[in-house]
Amino acid sequence: MLVTSGEGTRNGCEKTSFIFLRQELPVRLSNIMKEISLLPDNLLGTPSVQTVQSWYVQSLTDILEFLDKSPDSYRVLSDFSDTLINIRNRHNDVVPTMAQGVIEYKETFGVDPIVNQNVQYFLDRFYLSRISIRMLINQHTLVFDGRSNPAHPKHIGGIDPNCDVIKVVKDASESAKMLCDQYYLTSPEVLVNQFNGKAPRHPLQIVYVPSHLYHMLFELFKNAMRATVENNKSSTTLPPIKVMVALGNEDLTIKISDRGSGVPLRKIDRLFSYMYSTAPKPVVQNLQTAPLAGFGYGLPISRLYAKYFQGDLNLYSMEGHGTDAVIYLKALSTDSVERLPVFNKSAWKHYKSRTEADDWCIPSSEPKNLSKFSHHI
């Protein structure tokens, strides 16, 4: 639907897209609104989460006004596109505002394992739902606004049927290098290699959303460069960041390898946790301008972008040496179907479940300082 509905006047039809979206968007909004209502009362009651909830209620109300309107009316179609743009703009700050709500909750009530588990489950589904809703809105408004993008004339909305993966890799690395240079006055070299196992000597191209791929890559390059610079301060030269891009029959895989000393295995899961962010608390002046930078959500949301079209993003670290970050994408567009959260009885049970005692012996998550016990030995 995402690609075929966007093929302009050839196959796409604004009426068909209108009929689909006026039915589908309320379903997606309602599903995630139901899950918002199942959050712990103390989290749901924070001002930031209340603000987000009000945005979703208003957006659902706006879409429902078009359920009985005729798709044959040009005015209706025009008003619908304007409404979608308003909804998209209204939700621009959903990620940082919800993140601020989590901070408000943690500062007041602290964190316990049950709440952490439920909030992690919810935010993964909530942010993935948001990605999907914005994708649908962007496809409709980009394709049917009557204009073509002169910079990307062959794009179908936000989708590039021939996405040049190496170009996106280089664009993202250059942007990260610029940021690294501004902050540290230096940056590591990025070495890119490629292998096309599907069609040797041909460019690495897939059907994908370049902005999604850029988002993931920029986050990984930024982290790799920061780790490389900060953990090689005594060296006269910085070890390069190595990138390998490989295309097979099923997967397009991107591996980014750094020499930034890595992280312990016990901390890997925390890098993808919304509740255990070690990033400094950002200064939020008001709910309309809440900054995303500083919440530590870059990695978990980048993983969601990968998972949205059935891919994944994983970290493999060797403490003392460095980290490999690997992005997996589907090589075939037919496999790149949306991964969507659906509210049902299973989801409801997840929010109502309670963590039972583990039936394995689990050591403390933090290593002990045995020196303080030496006098007992």
Side-chain angles (χ1 to χ4, degrees), residues 12-13 53 60 114 129 140 148 151 159 219 223 298 345 368:
C13 175
Q53 190 175 38
L60 178 60
I114 295 175
S129 170
H140 184 91
S148 61
I159 300 172
E219 179 65 27
N223 292 344
K345 191 173 183 180
K368 295 285 193 300

Side-chain angles (χ1 to χ4, degrees), residues 308-320:
Y308 176 50
F309 283 127
Q310 304 299 325
D312 207 348
L313 189 160
N314 294 320
L315 297 182
Y316 305 95
S317 194
M318 299 176 68
E319 187 185 12

Side-chain angles (χ1 to χ4, degrees), residues 134-265:
R134 291 183 76 84
M135 185 69 196
L136 292 183
I137 290 176
N138 286 337
Q139 283 301 99
H140 184 91
T141 54
L142 287 171
V143 171
F144 300 117
D145 68 352
R147 296 170 293 176
S148 61
N149 186 341
H152 306 287
K154 295 184 179 180
H155 282 199
I156 301 172
I159 300 172
D160 185 351
N162 300 289
C163 179
D164 187 338
V165 177
I166 296 300
K167 181 179 184 303
V168 181
V169 168
K170 291 180 177 179
D171 287 346
S173 66
E174 286 300 318
S175 296
K177 277 178 65 69
M178 187 180 304
L179 191 64
C180 189
D181 285 330
Q182 290 175 352
Y183 192 83
Y184 295 106
L185 302 181
T186 186
S187 62
E189 183 183 7
V190 177
L191 305 177
V192 181
N193 288 300
Q194 58 181 297
F195 179 78
N196 192 334
K198 188 176 181 180
R201 296 184 296 278
H202 283 73
L204 297 183
Q205 296 180 339
I206 59 172
V207 180
Y208 208 72
V209 184
S211 60
H212 288 189
L213 180 55
Y214 178 92
H215 181 104
M216 293 180 264
L217 290 167
F218 177 72
E219 179 65 27
L220 295 180
F221 278 126
K222 185 176 61 175
N223 292 344
M225 290 183 185
R226 181 173 65 243
T228 299
V229 174
E230 292 186 351
N231 290 284
N232 290 276
K233 293 180 179 179
S234 60
S235 303
T236 55
T237 59
L238 296 174
I241 293 172
K242 298 180 179 180
V243 182
M244 183 66 197
V245 185
L247 177 63
N249 291 323
E250 295 187 20
D251 295 336
L252 182 287
T253 309
I254 304 171
K255 182 175 73 171
I256 299 175
S257 305
D258 69 59
R259 292 283 304 280
S261 293
V263 295
L265 175 63

